[in-house]
Amino acid sequence: LLLSLLLLGRPGLGAPGQGAGTWSRFARLPYPQDQLFLHDTFPDGFLWGAGSAAYQTEGGWRQGGKGASVWDTFAHRPATPPGAAPPGPVGGDVASDSYNNLFRDVEGLRRLGVSHYRFSLSWARLLPNGTAPPNPAGLAHYGRLLARLRELGVEPVVTLYHWDLPQALQDAFGGWASPVLPQLFRDYAELCFRHFGGQVRYWLTMDNPYVVAWHGYGTGRLPPGVRGGPRLGYLAAHHLLQAHAKVWHLYNDHFRPAQRGKVSIALSSHWIKPQHMTEKNIKECQKSLDFVLGWFAKPIFIDGDYPESMRSNLSSLLPEFSEAEKKYIKGTADFFALSFGATLSFQLLDSHMKFQQLESISLRQLLYWINSEYNNPQIFIVENSWFVSGTTKRDDAKYIYYLKKFIMETLKAIRYDGINVFGYTVWSLLDGFEWHRGYSIRRGLFYVDFQSHDKKLMPKSSVLFYEKVIEKNGFPPLPENQPIEGIFPCGFAWGIVDNYIQVDTTPAQFLDSSVYVWDVHQTKKLIKVDGVYASKRKRHCVDFAAIRLQVSLLQEMHVTHFHFSLKWSLILPLGNLSLINHTLVHYYQCFASELLRVNITPVVALWQPMIENQELPVSLARYGAWENTETVQAFVEYARFCFTSLGDHVKFWITMNEPSVKNLTYTAGHNLLKAHAQVWHLYDKEFRRSQKGKISIALQADWVEPACPFSRNDQEVADRILEFDVGWLAEPIFGNGDYPEVMRAWLHRINSVDLYNFHLPYFSEDEKKLIQGSFDFFALSHYTTTLVGSEKEDAVKYDHYLEVQMINDITWLHSPSRIAVVPWGLRKLLKWVKSKYGDVPVYVMANGIDDDQNMVHDKLRVYYIQNYINEALKAYTLDNVNLQGYFVYSFNDKTAPKYGLYSYVANQYEPKPSLKRYREIIDNNGFPGPETPELLCPEEVALCPECHFFRTRKSLLAFISFIFVAFIVTIFFITYYSKRVERRYK
């Protein structure tokens, strides 16, 4: 992967416009390798921190002589800020009350182990009127905070202005719309440098000037709420840039020699991707970034002037800088301070600034663009995170996975792309007032109960996650994440799945008893002779061309087993033996015998539910399906017929394949279990001795992982879902003969508390004995892993019945249909089966993923198969799971579109790269390495019934062989001597 990235090129010295190459570069990165999670560490000395803003967390709006800010005024207007949760705390009046809990906040920093803390000074607390005289209480407050940080060895990163302009300056001058403000801001900065500069190495003049200018003075969405339109918005930004430059020069000229600090400005940006990868759309994306980030970044980091795209599109709306001003603004940043996340993205970005392209949240690509566009600057991420619902308390799984994504993307930008990022700051340290969204969302690592008096900080799960990242300096490789070498045992079943084989019972021409005459003179066609018939010959399996094709395709795979399901609804259309489709039964017999002939073991399921009538005969589907006990007896009768008709060819039976618990009622599941058990006992008593086969049930079993690995609540939810999804049908068969106690306890709870009416039936003691142990092996189908949490975050993905929130880890690889690719989930599942049900033989009966071969050339499935099989090998080798087989889903795209190892286009089957990789693994029986001991397996004899004739008549075969050899020798001597006689006479 690193070699591929080097070939694609790392950014060199950048210049305006060079960022346009970002989109095409990332479109060419190797897939899926580039999208995999990167297990690596950050460079030594990397800065880890957390941040907050004064108005969001301080509170104390009337304490200690603080003056009013524009946010105080805005929040106290009659209209509630858009998105705020009514009723509740008003704006930032109290918020997290950090003003009165300074040491509480610092204790949170100590626990995290951060290297730096970004916070902002309240201009209105230090200068209540916006200008001198200063407020002694305000100076003392921040002095105490800096002293405490110094005691803990935490580096302060101080923002002079984070949106809370003193209201007095807005009233007197019109705020940032006035050219007076830059000088007043310089005066305020000088006060801060003089009082605090000796303790601060990193200064940020202001935060996100785009939001202040555009929404404060253009749209009026945010304080001071001036709806001045684009012209006033651009003017305010003009003054903000001038103010920033004045402060940077002030520090550079008068304070840097003594204090040796650095000054920058926190610029926020979104990320945008083209609707289509065309030159025009890419230009529009470039323009979008110019209009938001480049608006401020280009003047500061390049040439002191606005981007050309803004100049050409806005004409007279955009103010002009003089040549002197351009020189004054250019270069006024010692590093690139980047803010990226929930404040701007999808929230405060004006829709017209997207230029009809698609907003995205790729931090890595933004870092690459900045690097290319602004001449490879040192980048300090000074704000980054996402958010959770305001009702979420301490298990903030969604927040964790966004944080994980952003940190991982930063790591990739450093390791893969060569971007110079030296620090990362989570936003924010603690819950607070979230600007235009009020208290409707939370972004803190620590939970704050805003209704409580003491405002204690309670660590969320994200605290545990982030402190571990800091401690390990990233995501170091773990032994369990590394692939292993090794092989599976002799006789391991390597299989492929096709839900239903292609059935084509069209008779071959050899079965036509009619007599034809070839008209060679006129029509040149065969003409049927009426009333004349030849004698019919017996049907043979070779008459079915469809069978020969499918078997030949299976041979190409080198599989040892082929798993498919019978169609109950077609074999017995009326649900009983009164009408039998003998042609179809003969087809199945032929298919199984042809598989055996080429040494492929048929694995046959009696029933697999499908959408139409659950694949039951119509008469059964119409009258209650599995809720009707008559279906149980019908299934037993059907199974007896299949064992009798196919049992000589089939030695590996599945009673029911992947019964969907999502669509089962408790009564239906109850009857389904009894039907399975009766069929198992039927085979065990009447057929096993003669047919010598094995039989069990195949359950779908995806792994369920707690979203917050540190949360007991989430672990309980994961355990509950596993019992409802897998244990419901597994526990009665493989466990104690009854349903999981977790299920009974949960249903009792919700029935009594929430007035539900869900009742799990009871088995009699005889039924328990019948069901318990009705298996020969544990067969499971596994496709993916799901994350579950206890906190309700997204109503669409919340299951009220089981009180579970489905969560998505956005760092996981996903298929085109958004199925997560999580190989280690298979190993965890196999270990879980062993821990619950002992050393039972296990078969992974189906494992596969969809893929779009036109786009990625089947690379996702190649990765999927290789890594899931490797995790299965770990379960066998390291965890001692009695794993005896693995089957890939699916055979071909004709019967399972996008899942097949064979594509099917224009009536042709073509092998995909994943088939070739699977065949290699089969041929190697796993992943042998140089030190893997050689495994000598005895040759397996084809188990074909036709071969039985020869095996039981060895003496006869020997006699026939002797006669044949004697005949050949006799012919040789007769020929030899006859030639000698001829030569004599000559």
Side-chain angles (χ1 to χ4, degrees):
L1 176 59
L2 283 171
L3 178 60
S4 300
L5 290 163
L6 287 171
L7 291 173
L8 284 170
R10 290 186 173 187
L13 295 178
Q18 288 194 9
T22 302
W23 292 276
S24 59
R25 177 188 188 270
F26 280 87
R28 300 194 310 272
L29 291 181
Y31 178 87
Q33 288 76 15
D34 183 68
Q35 293 188 20
L36 299 177
F37 192 86
L38 174 60
H39 290 278
D40 202 347
T41 56
F42 284 80
D44 293 340
F46 190 81
L47 301 179
W48 295 102
S52 68
Y55 185 76
Q56 290 186 280
T57 58
E58 273 188 5
W61 77 294
R62 286 180 171 173
Q63 287 182 260
K66 177 184 175 294
S69 73
V70 291
W71 267 97
D72 291 318
T73 304
F74 194 79
H76 286 90
R77 296 187 312 175
T80 310
V90 178
D93 289 4
V94 180
S96 320
D97 202 21
S98 290
Y99 182 75
N100 297 303
N101 291 278
L102 184 150
F103 291 101
R104 173 205 67 181
D105 294 358
V106 176
E107 181 59 24
L109 294 167
R110 185 197 62 77
R111 168 167 182 168
L112 285 170
V114 295
S115 55
H116 70 273
Y117 177 45
R118 181 193 170 194
F119 64 94
S120 72
L121 306 174
S122 171
W123 190 346
R125 190 176 295 284
L126 291 171
L127 296 173
N129 295 316
T131 58
N135 175 19
L139 292 170
H141 170 74
Y142 293 117
R144 286 193 298 273
L145 174 58
L146 288 167
R148 182 62 180 145
L149 292 175
R150 185 171 66 249
E151 290 174 12
L152 292 178
V154 175
E155 186 84 57
V157 178
V158 181
T159 308
L160 293 170
Y161 169 61
H162 202 128
W163 304 7
D164 48 352
L165 182 74
Q167 183 64 43
L169 299 183
Q170 182 64 33
D171 294 339
F173 305 104
W176 290 108
S178 169
V180 175
L181 259 289
Q183 181 59 41
L184 297 179
F185 185 59
R186 180 195 181 282
D187 296 341
Y188 160 59
E190 184 172 5
L191 170 74
C192 297
F193 293 155
R194 290 193 185 281
H195 280 83
F196 311 126
Q199 302 173 71
V200 178
R201 274 203 312 154
Y202 293 100
W203 290 97
L204 300 172
T205 57
M206 58 186 69
D207 182 89
N208 203 339
Y210 165 85
V211 168
V212 176
W214 192 253
H215 292 301
Y217 295 88
T219 68
R221 285 184 64 188
L222 298 179
V226 179
R227 298 179 181 176
R231 186 178 298 278
L232 192 62
Y234 291 124
L235 181 63
H238 203 69
H239 296 150
L240 284 163
L241 278 166
Q242 291 171 330
H244 159 76
K246 279 181 177 292
V247 171
W248 187 88
H249 283 286
L250 167 70
Y251 190 85
N252 191 60
D253 296 342
H254 301 286
F255 294 96
R256 191 189 302 274
Q259 296 179 2
R260 301 184 182 279
K262 295 183 178 182
V263 179
S264 190
I265 180 174
L267 299 180
S268 187
S269 185
H270 61 305
W271 181 247
I272 198 90
K273 62 181 182 181
Q275 289 209 35
H276 306 285
M277 283 296 291
T278 63
E279 186 177 346
K280 178 183 176 182
N281 283 0
I282 289 174
K283 284 182 178 179
E284 296 299 287
C285 289
Q286 181 79 1
K287 191 191 299 182
S288 176
L289 292 173
D290 279 347
F291 269 64
V292 178
L293 180 57
W295 185 2
F296 301 92
K298 182 173 174 288
I300 294 170
F301 289 92
I302 299 297
D303 60 5
D305 201 2
Y306 298 115
E308 182 56 37
S309 60
M310 293 185 74
R311 282 256 169 250
S312 59
N313 279 269
L314 298 173
S315 62
S316 61
L317 283 177
L318 207 57
E320 296 276 352
F321 287 119
S322 67
E323 290 303 316
E325 286 176 323
K326 290 178 185 178
K327 292 179 181 178
Y328 192 72
I329 293 171
K330 177 184 175 181
T332 54
D334 300 320
F335 54 91
F336 197 112
L338 176 64
S339 169
F340 182 77
T343 302
L344 182 63
S345 295
F346 298 97
Q347 286 295 315
L348 293 175
L349 177 66
D350 254 25
S351 59
H352 80 273
M353 290 189 179
K354 299 177 189 178
F355 295 96
Q356 300 181 334
Q357 304 308 307
L358 304 173
E359 198 170 354
S360 178
I361 51 169
S362 176
L363 175 57
R364 178 185 171 191
Q365 292 187 52
L366 176 61
L367 291 169
Y368 189 91
W369 187 88
I370 290 169
N371 195 87
S372 302
E373 195 78 6
Y374 302 119
N375 198 19
N376 193 22
Q378 285 189 309
I379 302 175
F380 191 175
I381 298 172
V382 295
E383 176 184 344
N384 180 236
S385 76
W386 208 242
F387 63 89
V388 292
S389 165
T391 60
T392 299
K393 292 183 171 58
R394 298 178 64 180
D395 290 333
D396 55 343
K398 174 184 170 184
Y399 186 92
I400 288 176
Y401 290 109
Y402 272 94
L403 203 57
K404 180 182 174 186
K405 167 187 167 67
F406 291 136
I407 294 173
M408 189 263 291
E409 287 193 347
T410 304
L411 181 59
K412 284 185 176 180
I414 295 170
R415 296 301 186 195
Y416 288 170
D417 307 328
I419 311 301
N420 188 359
V421 184
F422 67 90
Y424 180 88
T425 312
V426 167
W427 201 268
S428 65
L429 174 65
L430 67 165
D431 289 335
F433 176 74
E434 289 301 331
W435 307 116
H436 63 296
R437 304 186 73 175
Y439 295 97
S440 65
I441 64 170
R442 293 175 180 269
R443 295 184 67 194
L445 294 167
F446 287 89
Y447 175 80
V448 176
D449 181 355
F450 298 113
Q451 305 296 335
S452 67
H453 176 71
D454 54 7
K455 303 289 190 300
K456 286 183 179 178
L457 290 193
M458 290 180 279
K460 301 180 188 178
S461 293
S462 53
V463 166
L464 302 173
F465 168 78
Y466 191 47
E467 67 182 2
K468 183 170 286 189
V469 171
I470 295 172
E471 177 190 342
K472 297 181 179 297
N473 198 33
F475 310 102
L478 300 172
E480 57 265 34
N481 296 329
Q482 306 304 311
I484 66 167
E485 294 177 343
I487 55 177
F488 289 93
C490 290
F492 190 78
W494 292 105
I496 190 74
V497 186
D498 203 356
N499 287 338
Y500 296 102
I501 58 173
Q502 179 187 345
V503 175
D504 183 358
T505 57
T506 304
Q509 62 183 20
F510 306 109
L511 298 178
D512 188 353
S513 59
S514 299
V515 175
Y516 296 84
V517 174
W518 187 11
D519 183 359
V520 296
H521 299 292
Q522 296 181 9
T523 63
K524 310 292 185 182
K525 294 181 180 178
L526 292 174
I527 299 175
K528 185 177 180 181
V529 180
D530 294 333
V532 181
Y533 299 97
S535 59
K536 285 188 177 181
R537 71 164 175 79
K538 186 180 178 182
R539 287 176 177 265
H540 296 291
C541 291
V542 293
D543 295 327
F544 296 117
I547 292 179
R548 295 198 302 273
L549 173 61
Q550 291 179 80
V551 171
S552 66
L553 293 174
L554 290 167
Q555 283 183 281
E556 284 294 310
M557 292 185 179
H558 297 184
V559 293
T560 62
H561 290 64
F562 178 53
H563 174 30
F564 63 93
S565 300
L566 304 177
K567 285 201 170 188
W568 182 5
S569 64
L570 296 182
I571 293 174
L572 302 179
L574 299 181
N576 54 49
L577 298 179
S578 64
L579 180 62
I580 301 171
N581 187 338
H582 289 287
T583 302
L584 180 59
V585 172
H586 179 62
Y587 188 90
Y588 284 134
Q589 290 171 339
C590 287
F591 199 100
S593 65
E594 286 299 298
L595 288 173
L596 291 170
R597 187 179 60 80
V598 296
N599 210 23
I600 297 176
T601 301
V603 181
V604 180
L606 294 171
W607 174 72
Q608 176 167 342
M610 298 296 282
I611 295 175
E612 186 176 358
N613 294 326
Q614 301 182 51
E615 192 42 51
L616 296 172
V618 175
S619 59
L620 297 175
R622 285 179 178 173
Y623 293 97
W626 285 108
E627 300 219 8
N628 189 340
T629 54
E630 291 185 8
T631 304
V632 176
Q633 294 310 313
F635 186 64
V636 175
E637 186 180 18
Y638 162 64
R640 183 190 300 276
F641 173 77
C642 292
F643 295 152
T644 303
S645 304
L646 302 171
D648 288 340
H649 306 281
V650 179
K651 311 300 180 185
F652 199 142
W653 289 98
I654 302 293
T655 57
M656 300 159 177
N657 192 52
E658 297 185 25
S660 174
V661 296
K662 305 293 185 185
N663 301 319
L664 275 182
T665 65
Y666 292 128
T667 301
H670 201 68
N671 289 333
L672 190 145
L673 282 165
K674 289 191 285 186
H676 155 78
Q678 288 185 38
V679 168
W680 187 89
H681 283 283
L682 168 69
Y683 188 84
D684 190 54
K685 292 175 182 177
E686 299 185 23
F687 295 94
R688 189 189 299 275
R689 181 173 297 177
S690 60
Q691 296 181 1
K692 295 181 172 49
K694 53 188 175 183
I695 184 170
S696 196
I697 188 172
L699 304 176
Q700 180 164 342
D702 289 334
W703 181 243
V704 181
E705 185 79 2
C708 293
F710 321 102
S711 166
R712 182 179 300 175
N713 292 335
D714 284 10
Q715 184 63 59
E716 289 177 0
V717 169
D719 293 341
R720 181 160 68 244
I721 299 303
L722 277 171
E723 294 295 357
F724 271 82
D725 283 0
V726 185
W728 176 7
L729 300 180
E731 186 64 28
I733 297 171
F734 301 93
N736 61 12
D738 200 359
Y739 297 114
E741 184 55 37
V742 169
M743 285 186 73
R744 289 209 183 276
W746 180 257
L747 292 174
H748 176 75
R749 173 188 173 278
I750 65 171
N751 286 337
S752 59
V753 175
D754 299 325
L755 303 179
Y756 282 106
N757 190 27
F758 296 109
H759 294 287
L760 204 56
Y762 286 88
F763 294 114
S764 67
E765 289 304 314
D766 288 341
E767 287 173 334
K768 288 181 182 178
K769 291 178 183 177
L770 180 78
I771 296 170
Q772 185 181 20
S774 58
F775 69 90
D776 295 333
F777 51 87
F778 195 115
L780 60 90
S781 299
H782 175 84
Y783 302 98
T784 188
T785 291
T786 305
L787 291 172
V788 295
S790 56
E791 293 270 10
K792 183 178 180 181
E793 178 66 34
D794 181 355
V796 175
K797 297 182 179 180
Y798 187 77
D799 185 333
H800 292 271
Y801 173 52
L802 293 176
E803 296 182 9
V804 55
Q805 177 71 62
M806 301 299 172
I807 302 289
N808 180 32
D809 184 342
I810 54 178
T811 67
W812 284 351
L813 195 62
H814 287 81
S815 74
S817 65
R818 302 306 298 161
I819 302 298
V821 179
V822 193
W824 52 259
L826 175 58
R827 180 183 177 189
K828 286 198 171 188
L829 175 69
L830 293 172
K831 289 171 68 177
W832 181 83
V833 169
K834 180 181 179 182
S835 68
K836 280 189 69 72
Y837 305 120
D839 194 33
V840 57
V842 179
Y843 289 86
V844 178
M845 294 304 296
N847 179 235
I849 195 74
D850 65 291
D851 201 356
D852 188 343
Q853 69 177 100
N854 294 327
M855 292 181 63
V856 294
H857 308 296
D858 203 39
K859 291 180 181 178
L860 178 62
R861 187 176 292 102
V862 171
Y863 171 84
Y864 182 99
I865 290 174
Q866 175 160 321
N867 285 274
Y868 271 85
I869 295 176
N870 198 264
E871 291 297 323
L873 180 63
K874 291 178 186 178
Y876 168 72
T877 305
L878 305 178
D879 308 324
N880 296 314
V881 174
N882 188 6
L883 185 63
Q884 298 197 0
Y886 171 90
F887 292 65
V888 166
Y889 180 83
S890 171
F891 181 18
N892 62 73
D893 282 344
K894 183 176 182 180
T895 52
K898 298 185 179 181
Y899 279 84
L901 298 194
Y902 280 101
S903 63
Y904 183 76
V905 180
N907 296 323
Q908 294 291 323
Y909 292 94
E910 291 293 335
K912 299 180 185 178
S914 52
L915 183 150
K916 297 173 183 176
R917 182 65 188 117
Y918 185 40
R919 185 169 58 202
E920 290 172 3
I921 295 172
I922 293 173
D923 292 344
N924 290 319
N925 201 29
F927 305 92
E931 299 179 5
T932 303
E934 186 177 359
L935 187 65
L936 298 175
C937 297
E939 287 252 352
E940 293 188 12
V941 179
L943 299 175
C944 62
E946 292 84 353
C947 300
H948 181 71
F949 173 86
F950 299 103
R951 288 199 296 270
T952 56
R953 292 169 174 78
K954 292 180 180 177
S955 299
L956 176 62
L957 289 173
F959 176 72
I960 292 172
S961 299
F962 171 76
I963 294 298
F964 178 74
V965 170
F967 174 75
I968 296 297
V969 171
T970 302
I971 293 297
F972 171 78
F973 280 114
I974 290 172
T975 304
Y976 175 76
Y977 283 107
S978 64
K979 287 183 177 180
R980 290 189 63 182
V981 170
E982 286 179 10
R983 282 199 296 271
R984 260 184 215 170
Y985 282 107
K986 288 179 181 179

